[in-house]
């Protein structure tokens, strides 16, 4: 042909078409599975969120001066508040199947409060624990106002309306991949338990459905329950068989099934209540530092919301719904401060990954899991049994779930032009810096015992060091800035960044509580006849 290339052959392979909603999801947000299946799936979500719920208090409470009894009560409280916040988020917030649990983002600021000099004059360890807890409560209560104001006022809606698939990729990807330090390093703490768990969950979820073709989604949907039960029994047999007798204390804590100290310390029945540790105390510097941690958690939760939306096969989230979800996340942090959970709240990344593994994005399943959280937080002894799962088993699950979330972020690249040099710059530079900058801050802190910014004001140090230690925060902010300043209004650039895909959803004015934007499939022709 003159002036053109040869015509395409009919049998040439065609690229995969972009999908606004993820296909092959068995149950979307508004289509719940049968009740027996939904209850077991909800129990799986409960098991998965126990990891963060147990690990954070186990690390922080002893530093505060508390013993096993205080640790058990804090875990009960965190579990109770997580169930309450998950119900509020699924009923009134974004209404996505998102579990709201503890967050590692708040840990550095919390440790800074624990090390404050004003608590060193208290000799009684239990009284010191309560004083520090009340200080953490006060800072969380003040910090919650940031997300409440940004979310409910609509300010965060005005920020997120400039997001595009291109700027979302680094944020969502590093929300998952950025947690690599909690994956295999945790497995390696007791490799004879962690590695079998990792191998078993991959085998049961990915290979068994093809080996045993029963026609029912048994192995892929309930792989967590099957694998955890088998490896937990195996770990207990190693413990009672004396495999760890005489081993180093760290090995015994990581590997044994009887060293958590939770079952003996937990009360049979206990209902957590606000101000159970006493009236909160307030410090302006610590409140500002915790507010910055809250802002970092806000950015990370924004990415996690997009991952949850994707794996629940929802359409692209309108900014108004996202902003409302952030507002209720602020309420979640407020509840954390009122009840005294020693930690703030954010969207659970591991539970977002579980949506991908099971291919069940039902809101009802997550609400059932919230019921399990509240139930087992009140019945302390029974909840402590499940909370005693060895940490390497949880770390092995993290390897799967965090990988799924990171890959979910990469899936937004299908809307972008990967042949564009602009796309390559924004994507590559933001991801690289998102990994490199936190690596420098974390290495510096590990070597020197303090961050690169080290002044006499602890709160100022945290305000600078905490955000630059977060991979998704650095990558997401950098991608957002570059994507909206490098010629964003050119028609060709809009297509390169994938903005035209999302604009067709966001151009329609609709009721923010409408279920149609959560349904499968979404009827585009009803609103956009030309699509």
């Amino acid at each position: 042909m003159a002036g053109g290339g040869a015509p395409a052959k009919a049998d040439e392979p065609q690229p995969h078409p972009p999908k606004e909603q993820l296909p092959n999801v068995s149950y979307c947000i508004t289509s719940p599975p049968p009740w027996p299946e939904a209850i077991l799936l909800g129990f799986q979500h409960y098991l998965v969120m126990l990891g963060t719920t147990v690990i954070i208090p186990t690390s922080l409470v002893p530093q505060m001066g508390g013993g096993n009894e205080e640790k058990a009560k804090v875990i009960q409280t965190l579990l109770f508040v997580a169930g309450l916040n998950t119900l509020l988020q699924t009923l009134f917030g974004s209404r996505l199947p998102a579990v709201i649990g503890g967050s590692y983002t708040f840990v550095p600021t919390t440790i800074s409060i624990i090390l404050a000099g004003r608590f060193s004059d208290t000799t009684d360890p239990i009284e010191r624990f309560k004083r520090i807890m009340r200080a953490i409560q006060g800072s969380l209560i003040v910090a919650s106002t940031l997300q409440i104001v940004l979310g409910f006022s609509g300010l965060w809606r005005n920020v997120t309306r400039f997001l595009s698939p291109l700027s979302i990729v680094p944020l969502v990807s590093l929300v998952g991949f950025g947690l690599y330090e909690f994956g295999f390093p945790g497995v390696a703490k007791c490799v004879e338990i962690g590695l079998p768990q990792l191998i078993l969950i991959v085998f049961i979820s990915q290979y068994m459905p093809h080996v045993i073709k029963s026609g029912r989604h048994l192995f892929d949907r309930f792989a967590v329950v099957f694998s955890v039960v088998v490896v937990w029994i195996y770990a207990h047999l190693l413990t009672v068989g004396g495999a760890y007798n005489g081993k180093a204390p760290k090995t015994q804590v990581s590997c044994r099934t009887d060293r958590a100290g939770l079952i003996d310390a937990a009360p049979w029945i206990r209902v957590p209540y606000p101000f159970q540790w006493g009236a909160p105390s307030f410090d302006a510097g610590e409140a500002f530092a915790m507010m910055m941690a809250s802002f970092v958690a806000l950015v990370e939760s924004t990415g996690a919301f997009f991952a949850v939306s994707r794996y629940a096969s929802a359409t692209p989230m309108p900014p108004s719904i996202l902003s409302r979800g952030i507002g209720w996340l602020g309420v979640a942090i407020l509840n954390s401060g009122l009840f005294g959970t020693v930690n703030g709240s954010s969207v659970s990344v591991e539970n977002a990954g579980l949506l991908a593994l099971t291919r069940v994005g039902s809101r009802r399943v997550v609400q059932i899991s919230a019921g399990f959280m509240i139930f087992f937080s009140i019945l302390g002894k029974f909840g402590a049994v499940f909370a005693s799962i060895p940490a390497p088993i949880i770390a092995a699950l993290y390897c799967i779930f965090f990988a799924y979330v990171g890959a979910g972020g990469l899936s937004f690249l299908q809307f972008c032009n990967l042949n564009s040099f602009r796309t390559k710059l924004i994507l590559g530079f933001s991801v690289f810096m998102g990994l490199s900058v936190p690596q420098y801050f974390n290495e510096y802190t590990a070597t020197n015992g303090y961050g690169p910014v080290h002044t006499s004001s602890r709160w100022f140090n945290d305000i600078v060091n905490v955000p630059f230690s977060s991979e998704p925060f650095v990558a997401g902010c950098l991608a957002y800035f570059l994507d909206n300043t490098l010629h964003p209004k050119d028609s060709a650039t809009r297509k390169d960044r994938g903005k035209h895909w999302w604009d067709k959803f966001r151009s329609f004015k609709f009721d923010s509580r409408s279920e149609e934007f959560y349904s499968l499939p979404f009827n585009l022709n009803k609103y956009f006849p030309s699509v």
Side-chain angles (χ1 to χ4, degrees):
M1 293 178 64
K9 296 180 180 179
D11 58 348
E12 282 188 356
Q14 299 297 317
H16 294 287
K19 300 285 186 181
E20 292 95 345
Q21 290 177 273
L22 194 65
N24 302 320
V25 173
S26 301
Y27 298 97
C28 69
I29 296 179
T30 57
S31 59
W35 277 104
E37 192 172 340
I39 291 173
L40 191 53
L41 287 167
F43 183 72
Q44 277 194 147
H45 275 280
Y46 163 72
L47 284 181
V48 169
M49 66 83 58
L50 274 178
T52 303
T53 304
V54 173
I55 289 173
I56 293 177
T58 299
S59 171
L60 296 179
V61 170
Q63 298 182 56
M64 298 165 62
N68 285 339
E69 183 178 349
E70 286 72 32
K71 181 172 68 174
K73 289 181 179 179
V74 171
I75 292 174
Q76 280 183 273
T77 304
L78 183 54
L79 196 58
F80 181 85
V81 172
L84 176 63
N85 290 334
T86 300
L87 284 177
L88 292 175
Q89 186 66 230
T90 55
L91 291 173
F92 308 111
S94 65
R95 310 197 72 207
L96 290 168
V99 172
I100 309 300
S103 172
Y104 294 107
T105 305
F106 294 89
V107 170
T109 307
T110 303
I111 292 178
S112 181
I113 296 175
I114 293 174
L115 298 178
R118 69 178 187 277
F119 303 117
S120 59
D121 59 344
T122 304
T123 56
D124 182 14
I126 305 302
E127 181 60 29
R128 180 173 180 269
F129 164 80
K130 291 182 178 180
R131 284 189 62 192
I132 295 175
M133 176 65 81
R134 293 195 291 267
I136 296 172
Q137 286 183 258
S139 60
L140 285 173
I141 290 173
V142 175
S144 68
T145 59
L146 177 70
Q147 293 195 23
I148 291 175
V149 171
L150 289 178
F152 290 133
S153 68
L155 290 175
W156 197 244
R157 176 191 61 208
N158 294 332
V159 172
T160 56
R161 60 188 287 260
F162 294 104
L163 285 171
S164 71
L166 178 57
S167 57
I168 275 295
V169 170
L171 174 60
V172 181
S173 296
L174 291 192
V175 163
F177 294 146
L179 295 171
Y180 61 86
E181 59 187 298
F182 298 104
F184 197 80
V187 173
K189 289 181 178 179
C190 189
V191 72
E192 61 267 31
I193 294 176
L195 193 58
Q197 171 65 43
L198 183 58
I199 295 173
L200 197 59
I201 191 171
V202 173
F203 178 76
I204 292 177
S205 64
Q206 305 303 319
Y207 291 93
M208 286 294 287
H210 299 282
V211 175
I212 303 177
K213 299 181 180 179
S214 62
R216 302 180 63 183
H217 297 280
L218 182 63
F219 297 105
D220 51 350
R221 199 163 288 171
F222 303 106
V224 171
V225 170
F226 289 141
S227 60
V228 168
V229 168
V230 170
V231 178
W232 197 4
I233 293 175
Y234 162 67
H236 186 66
L237 292 176
L238 289 178
T239 300
V240 298
Y244 304 113
N245 293 344
K247 297 291 184 180
K250 283 188 176 181
T251 301
Q252 298 208 28
V253 169
S254 300
C255 299
R256 296 184 69 98
T257 58
D258 58 357
R259 285 302 175 93
L262 297 177
I263 298 177
D264 294 334
W268 282 102
I269 297 178
R270 180 178 181 273
V271 180
Y273 55 92
F275 308 120
Q276 58 188 329
W277 313 109
S281 61
F282 298 90
D283 180 270
E286 292 171 354
F288 280 118
M290 193 66 78
M291 197 171 290
M292 176 53 74
S294 175
F295 182 69
V296 175
L298 180 154
V299 174
E300 295 176 354
S301 293
T302 298
F305 271 134
F306 275 97
V308 170
S309 174
R310 185 70 181 160
Y311 283 128
S313 197
T315 54
M317 257 199 312
S320 57
I321 289 181
L322 180 57
S323 185
R324 189 178 66 207
I326 292 299
W328 280 99
L329 268 182
V331 175
I333 297 175
L334 176 62
N335 288 332
S336 299
L338 295 176
F339 281 83
T341 63
V342 83
N343 190 246
S345 299
S346 67
V347 179
S348 171
V349 179
E350 52 267 34
N351 288 89
L354 182 58
L355 297 178
L357 182 71
T358 60
R359 301 185 186 181
V360 175
S362 170
R363 184 192 298 132
R364 178 182 293 176
V365 167
V366 171
Q367 291 171 340
I368 291 173
S369 76
F372 278 116
M373 297 174 208
I374 295 174
F375 177 77
F376 284 115
S377 68
I378 295 174
L379 300 179
K381 291 287 187 185
F382 297 98
V385 172
F386 299 108
S388 301
I389 298 175
I393 295 179
I394 301 298
L397 298 178
Y398 284 172
C399 292
I400 299 293
F401 300 142
F402 294 161
Y404 261 126
V405 173
L410 296 178
S411 70
F412 288 101
L413 286 174
Q414 64 182 308
F415 305 113
C416 307
N417 179 13
L418 294 179
N419 293 317
S420 166
F421 281 96
R422 178 185 183 275
T423 300
K424 295 178 189 298
L425 170 68
I426 295 174
L427 178 64
F429 185 63
S430 59
V431 171
F432 180 84
M433 295 303 291
L435 293 171
S436 185
V437 172
Q439 178 70 15
Y440 166 72
F441 273 76
N442 293 330
E443 279 189 0
Y444 192 100
T445 302
T447 303
N448 299 281
Y450 49 84
V453 178
H454 183 61
T455 67
S456 58
S457 300
R458 292 180 300 104
W459 61 271
F460 179 77
N461 301 338
D462 291 337
I463 286 177
V464 180
N465 291 327
V466 168
F468 286 105
S469 300
S470 168
E471 290 88 351
F473 181 84
V474 174
C477 291
L478 189 56
Y480 183 88
F481 174 78
L482 293 175
D483 191 38
N484 287 284
T485 55
L486 292 177
H487 319 293
K489 295 186 178 181
D490 295 348
S491 58
T493 301
R494 288 178 63 84
K495 290 186 177 181
D496 287 347
R497 60 200 289 242
K499 198 79 167 78
H500 62 297
W501 282 97
W502 285 7
D503 284 348
K504 63 186 179 184
F505 291 97
R506 296 177 176 181
S507 61
F508 178 72
K509 304 298 182 182
F510 64 97
D511 178 7
S512 62
R513 292 183 63 85
S514 171
E515 292 289 337
E516 182 132 23
F517 279 78
Y518 291 140
S519 62
L520 179 66
F522 176 67
N523 185 9
L524 277 176
N525 292 326
K526 178 177 178 181
Y527 302 114
F528 312 104
S530 60
V531 176

